[in-house]
Amino acid sequence: MIAKEDRKVVVTGMGMITPIGNNVEQSWRNLLEEQSGIERITLFDTKGFSCKIAGQVKDETYHTDLPYSRGTYFGLAASKEALEDGNVINDADILDEMAVFLGNSGARTGLDEFSGEFKARNLKELTLRNLNSDRQFDKSRYSAAAETIAKEFKLYGGCYSITTACASGTQAIGMAYESIKAGENTVVLAGGCDAMITEIDLMGFCMLGAVTSEYNEKPSKGSRPFNKDRSGFVLGEGAGMLILEEKKHALDRKAKIYAEVVGFGNAISGYSILDTPPNGENLAQAMEIALAEAGINKKQIGYINAHGTSTRDNDSSESAAVTRVFGEDTMNIPISSTKASTGHLISGAGAIEAIFSIMALKDQCLPPTLNLEDIDGKCSLLHIHKPLKSTIDYAMSNSLGFGGSNASVIFRRAENEL
């Protein structure tokens, strides 16, 4: 048994499906080519909605008659790619001991179909008996996505469903990392998935004033993180999944290693359900915890993938948090929000942004923030406007969730000998 302090955790496989690509390679390429996946919503009639745009997945293999929800389908697709990429999809011994840590929005993964039922029937007539029933009920359980992934790929090392809204994906990765460090698991499939482009969800976000309503005729301009005229986030959908593995185990099986997970921080804010404290103190706490665990100097962070939702209070609060943590070095650390390209995947956001951070380390190229034309003075950071070649060893990815969850994870570039 390797002592806890000696157990290192590496990333040996990745998979994703996003509004800008149906796999990691395509999504990463389109991100660097400054493509936007945000368009007019086609999944349902948006008449009566103030926001009519979203980042929809363009996967042509998706069919509505599949026996699981849209969000679960995305999780399965990303998981399959990650398991194939990690060269474990046919290794029964590894799969049998692999745990699943999945960030998701709980019952919302099945709301796409419930929306149709609500429209078709009088609310009083809705019962489990007439709701297309056990299949429909199974799709909308809080743990359905994680359990479906575990059953589909025969992963029997444990199944954990994390529901902390927009921080879910990052927390799933962080908790998986901690479980390997503690010796509880050796190989874990971790990440997040979501599909909240539904009538019910969009209605709620419109009522809250959280989504933009000003760019319905120019969808690609809708997500504008850190820009002075930002007016709300844009929903996205998809999934990101990573294989996390104890390093010696990965080396013994000669696995491809993308990066090492070196730090994870988690903190809660009691400030507001929707907003974070203006001074960013709780996200700052999560970043400080992650940095302390990584055991590195703050100056060694070469890139930050910001949560950057394009909402006014969130972006300024996150900017305050970054400044609070990095102080005089703030303007030396490049930062970007990839949500400007993908939209906000909610529970899947942290997972795809972790993968983008790892790809930045791998390719030594930092992705830009689209639509950053006039930076808000409250968001004065070293923003990336165009893809930036840079020599970096460490990347940080931040997530903030509705309800006050804050999470930060740090990755280290894989060494040559790996």
Side-chain angles (χ1 to χ4, degrees):
M1 173 72 73
I2 301 172
K4 177 180 177 180
E5 59 270 20
D6 296 326
R7 290 176 69 87
K8 295 183 178 180
V9 182
V10 293
V11 179
T12 57
M14 301 190 296
M16 71 193 324
I17 181 166
T18 74
I20 55 173
N22 296 333
N23 51 53
V24 172
E25 180 182 359
Q26 186 180 49
S27 296
W28 178 242
R29 182 179 69 247
N30 287 338
L31 182 65
L32 294 183
E33 290 179 357
E34 302 176 66
Q35 300 296 310
S36 170
I38 298 170
E39 59 189 6
R40 293 275 294 210
I41 294 171
T42 60
L43 294 172
F44 53 87
D45 185 357
T46 59
K47 183 179 180 180
F49 290 87
S50 59
C51 177
K52 302 177 185 295
I53 62 174
Q56 296 181 186
V57 164
K58 283 78 174 174
D59 183 7
E60 296 177 358
T61 66
Y62 175 75
H63 300 286
T64 56
D65 60 350
L66 292 173
Y68 29 72
S69 74
R70 186 175 177 88
T72 298
Y73 167 77
F74 296 145
L76 285 165
S79 295
K80 184 174 185 290
E81 183 187 0
L83 294 169
E84 289 176 342
D85 185 45
N87 196 29
V88 296
I89 197 162
N90 295 314
D91 192 324
D93 290 337
I94 289 179
L95 296 179
D96 189 59
E97 296 184 357
M98 186 180 293
V100 176
F101 284 73
L102 183 74
N104 69 87
S105 289
R108 293 183 180 278
T109 56
L111 279 179
D112 49 337
E113 292 196 11
F114 272 114
S115 296
E117 293 282 359
F118 283 138
K119 289 183 67 176
R121 300 173 182 266
N122 182 290
L123 186 61
K124 293 181 180 179
E125 297 175 357
L126 287 176
T127 69
L128 288 181
R129 293 181 181 275
N130 62 24
L131 255 180
N132 206 7
S133 66
D134 49 344
R135 173 183 146 180
Q136 191 83 313
F137 178 68
D138 186 60
K139 284 186 179 184
S140 58
R141 289 180 298 106
Y142 279 86
S143 56
E147 291 171 352
T148 300
I149 290 170
K151 288 186 286 188
E152 178 72 20
F153 299 107
K154 298 178 171 59
L155 312 179
Y156 300 131
C159 185
Y160 306 89
S161 185
I162 293 93
T163 305
T164 49
C166 320
S168 301
T170 299
Q171 289 192 344
I173 293 168
M175 292 170 70
Y177 156 73
E178 289 182 334
S179 79
I180 296 174
K181 287 280 288 183
E184 297 168 356
N185 291 287
T186 300
V187 189
V188 173
L189 180 65
C193 64
D194 225 331
M196 289 181 67
I197 307 174
T198 72
E199 292 167 289
I200 292 176
D201 287 309
L202 184 61
M203 181 190 304
F205 287 128
C206 286
M207 291 173 66
L208 288 170
V211 287
T212 184
S213 59
E214 298 178 9
Y215 293 90
N216 291 324
E217 304 308 317
K218 296 180 180 180
S220 65
K221 295 289 187 180
S223 185
R224 310 173 67 76
F226 306 112
N227 211 60
K228 186 178 292 184
D229 66 350
R230 64 191 183 279
S231 56
F233 73 84
V234 176
L235 273 170
E237 62 178 2
M241 300 299 293
L242 301 83
I243 295 177
L244 271 57
E245 187 169 352
E246 193 278 317
K247 182 179 176 180
K248 185 178 183 303
H249 186 274
L251 292 174
D252 286 346
R253 70 178 187 91
K254 297 180 171 57
K256 167 178 57 184
I257 295 177
Y258 285 103
E260 181 182 345
V261 189
V262 294
F264 169 63
N266 185 33
I268 187 73
S269 163
Y271 181 75
S272 166
I273 292 177
L274 290 178
D275 301 318
T276 53
N279 62 8
E281 60 181 332
N282 303 108
L283 174 59
Q285 182 183 5
M287 287 190 282
E288 292 281 12
I289 293 170
L291 285 162
E293 189 167 82
I296 61 174
N297 188 299
K298 296 174 183 179
K299 295 180 179 181
Q300 290 177 269
I301 296 294
Y303 168 64
I304 298 174
N305 187 296
H307 187 60
T309 59
S310 188
T311 54
R312 184 155 298 280
D313 291 338
N314 179 279
D315 290 2
S316 60
S317 174
E318 183 173 11
S319 299
V322 171
T323 302
R324 188 183 184 105
V325 171
F326 293 96
E328 61 184 16
D329 294 312
T330 299
M331 296 306 292
N332 296 322
I333 302 173
I335 188 170
S336 67
S337 171
T338 48
K339 287 183 178 69
S341 301
T342 65
H344 190 353
L345 273 65
I346 311 296
S347 294
I352 69 164
E353 289 155 15
I355 293 174
F356 287 150
S357 299
I358 291 167
M359 291 301 293
L361 288 168
K362 175 180 175 292
D363 290 355
Q364 297 287 279
C365 186
L366 313 182
T369 302
L370 298 188
N371 304 319
L372 192 50
E373 299 156 358
D374 186 9
I375 299 171
D376 185 343
K378 294 182 179 179
C379 304
S380 296
L381 305 169
L382 184 57
H383 295 285
I384 305 169
H385 295 265
K386 292 287 183 181
L388 177 67
K389 284 289 185 181
S390 182
T391 302
I392 63 170
D393 293 319
Y394 294 90
M396 170 184 280
S397 182
N398 293 331
S399 293
L400 296 82
F402 296 127
S405 292
N406 301 269
S408 182
V409 64
I410 299 173
F411 299 97
R412 182 176 69 84
R413 180 171 63 93
E415 298 171 350
N416 292 333
E417 64 265 27
L418 300 184

